């Protein structure tokens, strides 16, 4: 990896913090969020754990063993707000609290509005159920032929291989089963799911998720990949993981060798804010890329975290610099207790419009809504098209300029109606 300018704290001054809305309604997330960053700076270091031997710090098992999982641990390092204290007290009924030491270092402990802090420290809003919210907001259970397998689309399946994560996102789509705080008692049946995939030749694409598949041991993960690779009709294997973001130490040389052996294995990571793009994450992504793992990113549009065009632009640019293609920007799913994260869809459209044409197309994710109840992902795009007729389509570009593209090809004629003879074309620019 090239030389990086190291930033010891991800929040060097107050000017680069987000200004959150005062209320949790989606309509209140339209507040301007001034954002600046040093593009050359990448957070790095052990932060609060300088006393820990580097060998321990780089050991992913040590990171898991030393996670912060309760109020007492958090308050050793920071002062919780009343809102956070109430949320933490409720966590054992909704979704467990767990933060790796590595990721905790990214939190601004002096700022309750820190965009990293809001993602992983519970708040009282999780206790409020709003209209339209559901435990299983995507209807996954209704499309589950065997435990741990979701077969919604004709040619692909979602394979939930565990209910555990390295840390827990407070807006988690599967909070009903992840961490088992709600006594869902999810027990994935790997062998039963593999037999189902073997018996259905229409399945060409398998997405491993959970929980987080990279929490499995190398031995278990290799077993799953080997079994899937042995199924002739399975052409495409993907992994959805936030482990590189919460626990980059997990991306070991041994793990990368497994991906090389059974590749190509595609991976979608989950980064929501540019402050999450650290030197350690960048190095982990490079290790994965060198192992032949194509990388994409899936972000969730979150109130007071990334619902701003400048924040999103900073994020997608850092992702590309880490060899990660921005893939999806999700409208947050209608999970119970998630209203305080919800953003107006029109704001999402504004953000996409602010990216399109103002940066490379590689940096523009597809904005989607996962249809409530199990309808699948539906693209939501800014409306550039004005009219379409049999003759032409009229549209505007990113600058608002109007253009016409003819849909019918009519031969050119002379003034008397005869076909115009072919001749060398003057002044044509070829790109």
């Amino acid at each position: 990896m090239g030389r990086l300018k190291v930033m010891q704290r991800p929040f060097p001054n107050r000017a680069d913090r987000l200004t959150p809305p005062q209320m949790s309604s989606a309509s209140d997330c339209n507040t301007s969020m001034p954002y600046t960053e040093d593009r050359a700076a990448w957070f790095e270091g052990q932060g609060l754990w300088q006393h820990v031997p580097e060998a321990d710090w780089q050991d992913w098992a040590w990171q898991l063993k030393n996670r912060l999982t309760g109020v007492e641990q958090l308050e050793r390092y920071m002062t919780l707000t009343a809102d956070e204290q109430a949320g933490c007290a409720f966590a054992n009924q909704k979704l467990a609290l767990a933060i790796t030491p590595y990721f905790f270092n990214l939190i601004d402990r002096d700022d309750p509005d820190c965009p990293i802090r809001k993602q992983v420290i519970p708040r009282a809003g999780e206790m409020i159920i709003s209209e339209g919210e559901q435990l299983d907001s995507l209807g996954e259970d209704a499309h589950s032929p065997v435990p741990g397998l979701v077969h919604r689309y004709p040619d692909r399946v979602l394979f939930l291989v565990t209910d555990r994560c390295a840390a827990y996102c407070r807006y988690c789509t599967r909070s009903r089963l992840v961490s088992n705080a709600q006594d869902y008692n999810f027990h994935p049946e790997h062998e039963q799911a593999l037999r189902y995939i073997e018996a259905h030749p229409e399945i060409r694409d398998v997405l491993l998720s959970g929980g987080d598949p990279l929490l499995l041991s190398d031995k278990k993960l290799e077993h799953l990949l080997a079994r899937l690779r042995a199924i002739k009709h399975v052409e495409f294997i993907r992994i959805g993981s936030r482990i590189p973001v919460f626990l980059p130490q997990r991306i070991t040389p041994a793990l990368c060798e497994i991906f090389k052996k059974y590749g190509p294995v595609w991976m979608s990571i989950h980064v929501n804010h540019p402050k999450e793009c650290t030197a350690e994450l960048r190095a982990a992504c490079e290790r994965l890329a060198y192992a032949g793992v194509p990388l994409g990113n899936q972000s969730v549009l979150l109130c007071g975290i990334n619902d701003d065009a400048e924040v999103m632009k900073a994020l997608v640019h850092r992702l590309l610099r880490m060899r990660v293609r921005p893939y999806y920007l999700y409208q947050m799913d209608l999970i119970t207790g998630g209203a305080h994260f919800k953003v107006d869809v029109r704001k999402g459209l504004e953000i996409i419009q602010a990216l399109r044409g103002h940066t490379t197309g590689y940096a523009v994710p597809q904005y989607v809504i996962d249809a409530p109840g199990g309808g699948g992902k539906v693209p939501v795009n800014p409306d550039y098209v004005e009219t379409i007729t049999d003759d032409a389509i009229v549209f505007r570009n990113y600058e608002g300029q109007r253009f016409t593209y003819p849909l019918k090809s009519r031969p050119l004629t002379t003034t008397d109606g005869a076909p115009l003879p072919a001749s060398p074309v003057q002044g044509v620019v070829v790109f």
Side-chain angles (χ1 to χ4, degrees), residues 14 24 45 57 65 73 78 80 99 165 188 232 302 420:
R14 292 271 173 178
S24 61
W57 180 258
K65 183 179 178 181
Q73 290 173 297
M78 63 188 295
L80 296 174
I99 311 169
C165 295
K232 292 184 178 180
L302 299 167
L420 190 69

Side-chain angles (χ1 to χ4, degrees), residues 298-356:
Q298 301 183 144
S299 297
V300 179
L301 188 61
L302 299 167
C303 177
I305 293 171
N306 58 12
D307 56 325
D308 175 84
E310 291 306 312
V311 171
M312 191 60 66
K313 187 180 292 186
L315 170 60
V316 296
H317 286 172
R318 283 194 179 259
L319 287 169
L320 288 182
R321 292 163 68 191
M322 298 191 309
R323 305 171 188 266
V324 181
R325 166 74 157 89
Y327 179 33
Y328 280 137
L329 174 62
Y330 281 98
Q331 180 68 16
M332 199 194 75
D333 295 327
L334 297 174
I335 56 130
T336 55
H340 56 298
F341 285 115
K342 194 175 179 182
V343 180
D344 193 309
V345 173
R346 290 168 292 189
K347 184 63 177 179
L349 291 171
E350 287 177 13
I351 290 172
I352 296 300
Q353 198 159 12
L355 294 177
R356 176 66 65 188

Side-chain angles (χ1 to χ4, degrees), residues 64-255:
L64 290 174
K65 183 179 178 181
N66 289 276
R67 289 183 297 178
L68 293 85
T69 57
V71 170
E72 184 177 333
Q73 290 173 297
L74 292 175
E75 290 189 332
R76 291 177 192 169
Y77 304 105
M78 63 188 295
T79 300
L80 296 174
T81 66
D83 190 21
E84 290 170 330
Q85 289 175 338
C88 289
F90 186 67
N92 62 355
Q93 301 176 54
K94 170 72 161 56
L95 175 66
L97 163 64
I99 311 169
T100 58
Y102 161 81
F103 199 73
F104 186 80
N105 272 336
L106 305 185
I107 292 175
D108 187 338
R109 302 181 304 280
D110 299 323
D111 184 7
D113 300 322
C114 163
I116 308 301
R117 180 170 173 166
K118 293 170 76 171
Q119 292 185 59
V120 290
I121 296 183
R123 301 205 173 197
E126 295 183 22
M127 303 164 65
I128 301 170
I129 300 178
S130 301
E131 184 178 358
E133 295 179 348
Q134 303 174 53
L135 279 175
D136 182 13
S137 62
L138 301 183
E140 291 179 339
D141 291 349
H143 293 87
S144 182
V146 300
L149 202 72
V150 180
H151 194 175
R152 176 186 294 125
Y153 299 99
D155 69 336
R156 51 201 184 275
V157 292
L158 173 66
F159 191 173
L160 305 178
V161 298
T162 179
D163 67 345
R164 304 294 153 160
C165 295
Y168 294 109
C169 308
R170 307 320 304 175
Y171 49 87
C172 177
T173 293
R174 299 194 186 99
S175 55
R176 72 188 188 280
L177 64 87
V178 168
S179 85
N180 201 37
Q182 300 186 40
D183 290 327
Y184 189 87
N185 292 318
F186 173 68
H187 299 290
E189 297 288 345
H190 292 176
E191 190 59 37
Q192 195 175 350
L194 288 166
R195 287 199 298 269
Y196 178 90
I197 295 169
E198 288 172 336
H200 288 77
E202 72 274 17
I203 298 173
R204 52 173 292 276
D205 178 357
V206 178
L207 169 59
L208 301 180
S209 186
D212 201 309
L214 296 191
L215 271 191
L216 298 179
S217 68
D218 286 357
K219 183 177 180 180
K220 288 182 178 179
L221 189 59
E222 181 168 15
H223 171 73
L224 286 175
L225 292 176
R227 286 290 304 276
L228 290 171
R229 274 285 169 243
I231 302 173
K232 292 184 178 180
H233 56 265
V234 173
E235 303 170 356
F236 194 32
I237 300 174
R238 295 180 285 156
I239 292 177
S241 175
R242 207 175 185 191
I243 285 288
V245 182
F246 284 147
L247 189 64
Q249 296 85 355
R250 174 67 180 100
I251 311 303
T252 62
L255 178 63

